[in-house]
Amino acid sequence: MCLYDTMYYFYPEQRNEFLVLASTFLCCMKDYEKFKQLVLQGATLYMPQLSLDCVIFGFHEGQLKVLLLKMRNLQEWALPGGFIYRQEALEVAASRILKERTGLDNIFLQQFHIFSDPTRSDTSKAIHHFSFADLSIDSSHWLAQRFISVGFYALVDFTRVTPQADELTDTCQWYDLENIPPLMMDHRHILDKALETLRIQLNYQPIGMSLMPEQFTMPELQKLYETILGVTLDRRNFQRKILGYHILKRREVRRTGVAHKSPYLYSFDEKQYQQALQDGLHKW
Amino acid sequence: MCLYDTMYYFYPEQRNEFLVLASTFLCCMKDYEKFKQLVLQGATLYMPQLSLDCVIFGFHEGQLKVLLLKMRNLQEWALPGGFIYRQEALEVAASRILKERTGLDNIFLQQFHIFSDPTRSDTSKAIHHFSFADLSIDSSHWLAQRFISVGFYALVDFTRVTPQADELTDTCQWYDLENIPPLMMDHRHILDKALETLRIQLNYQPIGMSLMPEQFTMPELQKLYETILGVTLDRRNFQRKILGYHILKRREVRRTGVAHKSPYLYSFDEKQYQQALQDGLHKW
DNA sequence: CCAAAAGTGTTTTCGGTACACCCATGT
DNA sequence: ACATGGGTGTACCGAAAACACTTTTGG
């Protein structure tokens, strides 16, 4: 039994009847006996559906890419997402979902926003989708109600990922950021917000460790920054700035086999990088 | 009936049995007929309890303050919080809760983090609290389960607020930031995170409009910044910097009746301020 | 008149940008 | 050899930090 049916919320519009305050377990009502009775009968609190969506960024051949999937029976693409387990933090759930899609562990992952607009999930579409799937439900069904979604963004090494579809998914593949297909619901908005956050974070947090392969050249790293920010940077200034953070180690070997002068190879200094992740980027 | 009982989640640990992907309404299972049957019988998706907590900052007499309340029958203090209505965005819910506590409308309000650690709500304590309230529930009861909470922080004009308690609340009052009493659950952590976010935001967003009275002097505004940041600033550099944003209007009158040279009074330029809220702080 | 607070101006420093020069490599 | 890309160094500019002087007010 769900209190939802009998009294909307514990915290109803007509606030003089029942009251529950958030983030505490102590509940109370004016009609305390009635409340007690309901709770003991096993009444539960009505809650919105909570899900999470991941914007997974990858980088390959000078292009920033996003991992998208297409659900069976659906025309539009979607961000990888999922639900949270009973004993699971959101961050853990997000990395679990990431692992399922990319096979990767220990990914850079960050929550950036919660999307709770009541109109974000178009009810009529939801119903339509279910008719498609040979289920008929009406607008009062929980499946047709508003979902609140926590947005995460992740940075992964493109070369180590093999996108994995599952029973529900037709396709799971990378898309160039400049060439995103129509997305379902407000996923386009989520994607944009993720990119906006990433661009801001770029100035305060070291990124690249997760996006670049083990070893890389300075121009390659610069291309990553340029792609994310959408601007061109000065080669020399970029190098000075990045090296100033002391999160890179220069390798002895250089890249060979390419035309022109052979560039140095760099890799991230694991320890310094982790330090910078905590403290932010500072000059020395 | 709740699917929670029969199959844990739609998205269970043993992932080969049932599957539901987040942020979509299209659900599917390997045993599709069983799934369909359950849904048509009115089965619902198990979801964590979602609440929101507000860290409400005020400023008075050179002290940064936070609005706290003490629940009936509880020793520890708590942040004002609440639940979300069915057709309501989180931001709307937060401003509703704020209005209930402070009586103020149109408050600067921002979500900054979601707190989902499974251990954040101490189950044993919850049960204890309910025994207190003459209810006996066990650890499997929904009231004893983990709540996920969305953290908001707000900046309000101290002088315009009269803290309002309600039927559940013994007291609702301001506390100096340096003198916060023990808080329930992880509310201390939420408070700290809010302050951390506020300090960062200070460089990019104009604040003060909500925290300061209608008219104020430059040293008063400086004191606010110093208090939030926890450092002392150079009087002259501060003035130049703030004025450079062109969000202040200097009044003709000066503050009188105080010792020493009478300072100018300033007030925020409503239009410029709103502009800066959207675009961030930029020099001209 | 004096101490303290407030208004206004100048110097210095530093990070970021712009740009010049040289070196290495494959064609 | 030479075009192209990569490594290294210098000049400049603007914002922020450091600091000096004057003005006003109550006591």
Side-chain angles (χ1 to χ4, degrees):
Chain A
M1 168 182 163
C2 183
L3 284 187
Y4 168 73
D5 297 320
T6 47
M7 57 191 224
Y8 195 52
Y9 292 100
F10 280 4
Y11 206 154
E13 311 290 353
Q14 60 278 25
R15 49 167 291 131
N16 284 330
E17 205 173 348
F18 308 115
L19 277 175
V20 169
L21 283 189
S23 52
T24 170
F25 298 99
L26 184 67
C27 298
C28 191
M29 300 167 76
K30 283 216 163 170
D31 187 351
Y32 187 76
E33 283 307 316
K34 185 174 174 188
F35 165 80
K36 184 176 163 185
Q37 193 185 348
L38 283 170
V39 169
L40 290 178
Q41 281 173 2
T44 61
L45 183 63
Y46 168 78
M47 280 292 150
Q49 320 294 340
L50 185 72
S51 62
L52 60 91
D53 290 303
C54 298
V55 182
I56 306 174
F57 291 108
F59 186 69
H60 190 60
E61 291 178 350
Q63 274 289 332
L64 198 60
K65 292 164 189 292
V66 178
L67 197 61
L68 296 179
L69 43 87
K70 201 164 89 62
M71 318 293 284
R72 201 182 291 169
N73 291 334
L74 275 187
Q75 301 307 312
E76 294 165 313
W77 291 74
L79 296 170
F83 294 122
I84 187 173
Y85 289 162
R86 181 148 56 144
Q87 293 293 334
E88 193 180 47
L90 277 165
E91 287 76 11
V92 177
S95 74
R96 169 172 56 77
I97 289 161
L98 233 79
K99 169 131 188 160
E100 286 169 3
R101 291 299 169 187
T102 65
L104 297 184
D105 260 326
N106 285 329
I107 297 300
F108 177 85
L109 234 165
Q110 191 153 324
Q111 57 162 273
F112 62 95
H113 200 76
I114 317 179
F115 301 88
S116 61
D117 187 336
T119 65
R120 69 178 289 270
S121 41
D122 187 339
T123 312
S124 59
K125 271 202 178 177
I127 295 173
H128 176 260
H129 288 155
F130 259 90
S131 314
F132 219 112
D134 193 27
L135 276 176
S136 83
I137 55 174
D138 61 18
S139 61
S140 68
H141 194 278
W142 64 267
L143 269 168
Q145 285 173 26
R146 178 258 308 262
F147 272 74
I148 291 181
S149 191
V150 182
F152 280 80
Y153 75 87
L155 308 177
V156 304
D157 180 354
F158 180 91
T159 62
R160 293 172 58 205
V161 172
T162 45
Q164 283 156 19
D166 61 20
E167 293 87 349
L168 278 180
T169 316
D170 275 344
T171 329
C172 180
Q173 70 177 71
W174 291 102
Y175 269 91
D176 284 357
L177 198 59
E178 282 89 37
N179 196 25
I180 302 289
L183 301 184
M184 69 185 314
M185 293 170 53
D186 60 348
H187 284 200
R188 178 72 218 203
H189 176 224
I190 296 178
L191 172 56
D192 290 337
K193 187 95 182 172
L195 187 60
E196 182 190 329
T197 308
L198 175 60
R199 281 177 175 158
I200 295 175
Q201 290 293 108
L202 213 54
N203 296 313
Y204 309 98
Q205 286 217 323
I207 63 122
M209 179 95 124
S210 338
L211 280 164
M212 302 294 287
E214 168 66 19
Q215 298 196 355
F216 50 90
T217 67
M218 194 58 79
E220 286 164 2
L221 183 63
Q222 179 179 342
K223 187 68 188 169
L224 168 65
Y225 273 75
E226 289 182 323
T227 308
I228 294 178
L229 293 175
V231 295
T232 58
L233 301 171
D234 185 283
R235 189 168 59 85
R236 297 147 286 194
N237 297 331
F238 177 80
Q239 170 146 329
R240 202 192 355 260
K241 184 168 179 173
I242 295 291
L243 289 180
Y245 297 138
H246 293 87
I247 54 174
L248 291 185
K249 282 186 303 193
R250 188 158 90 175
R251 299 292 177 157
E252 290 309 314
V253 287
R254 291 159 172 251
R255 170 141 304 169
T256 56
V258 292
H260 318 300
K261 182 169 182 175
S262 60
Y264 284 109
L265 281 173
Y266 290 89
S267 58
F268 285 99
D269 183 321
E270 177 75 28
K271 197 178 164 196
Q272 300 288 350
Y273 193 92
Q274 293 303 329
Q275 189 67 35
L277 264 184
Q278 289 191 357
D279 305 344
L281 291 174
H282 301 295
K283 292 284 179 189
W284 280 19
Chain B
M1 167 182 163
C2 184
L3 283 187
Y4 167 73
D5 297 319
T6 47
M7 57 189 222
Y8 195 51
Y9 291 99
F10 280 1
Y11 206 154
E13 312 288 354
Q14 59 277 25
R15 50 166 288 130
N16 284 329
E17 206 175 347
F18 307 115
L19 277 173
V20 169
L21 285 187
S23 55
T24 171
F25 300 98
L26 184 65
C27 299
C28 193
M29 300 165 76
K30 282 215 163 172
D31 187 351
Y32 186 76
E33 283 308 316
K34 185 175 174 189
F35 166 79
K36 184 176 162 185
Q37 193 185 348
L38 283 169
V39 170
L40 290 178
Q41 280 171 3
T44 60
L45 183 62
Y46 169 77
M47 279 291 148
Q49 319 294 338
L50 184 72
S51 63
L52 61 91
D53 290 305
C54 297
V55 182
I56 306 174
F57 290 107
F59 186 69
H60 191 58
E61 291 177 351
Q63 275 286 334
L64 198 59
K65 293 165 189 291
V66 178
L67 197 62
L68 297 178
L69 43 86
K70 201 163 91 59
M71 317 293 285
R72 200 184 293 169
N73 291 333
L74 275 187
Q75 300 307 314
E76 294 166 312
W77 291 73
L79 296 171
F83 294 121
I84 188 174
Y85 289 163
R86 181 150 56 144
Q87 292 294 332
E88 192 181 47
L90 278 164
E91 287 75 11
V92 178
S95 74
R96 168 172 54 79
I97 289 161
L98 233 80
K99 169 130 189 159
E100 286 169 4
R101 291 298 168 189
T102 65
L104 297 183
D105 260 326
N106 285 328
I107 296 302
F108 178 85
L109 233 165
Q110 192 153 324
Q111 58 162 271
F112 62 94
H113 200 76
I114 316 180
F115 301 89
S116 61
D117 188 338
T119 66
R120 68 179 293 268
S121 41
D122 187 339
T123 311
S124 59
K125 271 202 178 179
I127 294 174
H128 177 260
H129 288 155
F130 259 89
S131 315
F132 219 112
D134 192 28
L135 276 176
S136 83
I137 56 174
D138 62 18
S139 62
S140 69
H141 194 278
W142 64 266
L143 269 168
Q145 284 172 26
R146 177 259 307 263
F147 272 74
I148 290 181
S149 191
V150 182
F152 279 79
Y153 75 88
L155 308 176
V156 304
D157 180 355
F158 180 90
T159 62
R160 294 173 58 205
V161 172
T162 45
Q164 283 156 20
D166 60 20
E167 294 86 349
L168 279 181
T169 315
D170 275 344
T171 328
C172 180
Q173 70 177 72
W174 291 102
Y175 269 91
D176 284 357
L177 199 59
E178 283 88 39
N179 196 26
I180 302 289
L183 300 184
M184 68 185 314
M185 291 171 54
D186 61 347
H187 283 200
R188 179 72 217 202
H189 176 223
I190 296 178
L191 173 56
D192 290 338
K193 187 94 181 173
L195 187 60
E196 182 190 328
T197 308
L198 176 58
R199 281 178 176 156
I200 295 175
Q201 289 293 109
L202 213 53
N203 296 312
Y204 309 99
Q205 286 218 322
I207 63 121
M209 178 95 123
S210 338
L211 281 164
M212 302 295 285
E214 167 68 18
Q215 297 196 357
F216 50 90
T217 68
M218 194 59 77
E220 285 164 1
L221 183 63
Q222 180 179 342
K223 185 71 187 167
L224 168 65
Y225 272 76
E226 289 182 342
T227 308
I228 294 178
L229 293 175
V231 295
T232 59
L233 300 171
D234 184 281
R235 190 167 56 85
R236 298 148 286 196
N237 294 331
F238 177 79
Q239 171 147 330
R240 201 189 356 260
K241 185 169 179 172
I242 295 291
L243 289 179
Y245 295 139
H246 293 88
I247 54 174
L248 291 184
K249 281 185 303 191
R250 188 158 91 175
R251 299 290 176 160
E252 290 308 314
V253 287
R254 291 160 172 250
R255 171 143 303 169
T256 56
V258 292
H260 318 301
K261 182 168 181 174
S262 61
Y264 284 108
L265 282 172
Y266 290 88
S267 59
F268 285 99
D269 184 321
E270 176 77 27
K271 199 177 162 195
Q272 300 289 349
Y273 192 92
Q274 294 303 330
Q275 189 68 34
L277 264 182
Q278 289 191 356
D279 305 345
L281 291 175
H282 301 294
K283 291 284 178 190
W284 281 18

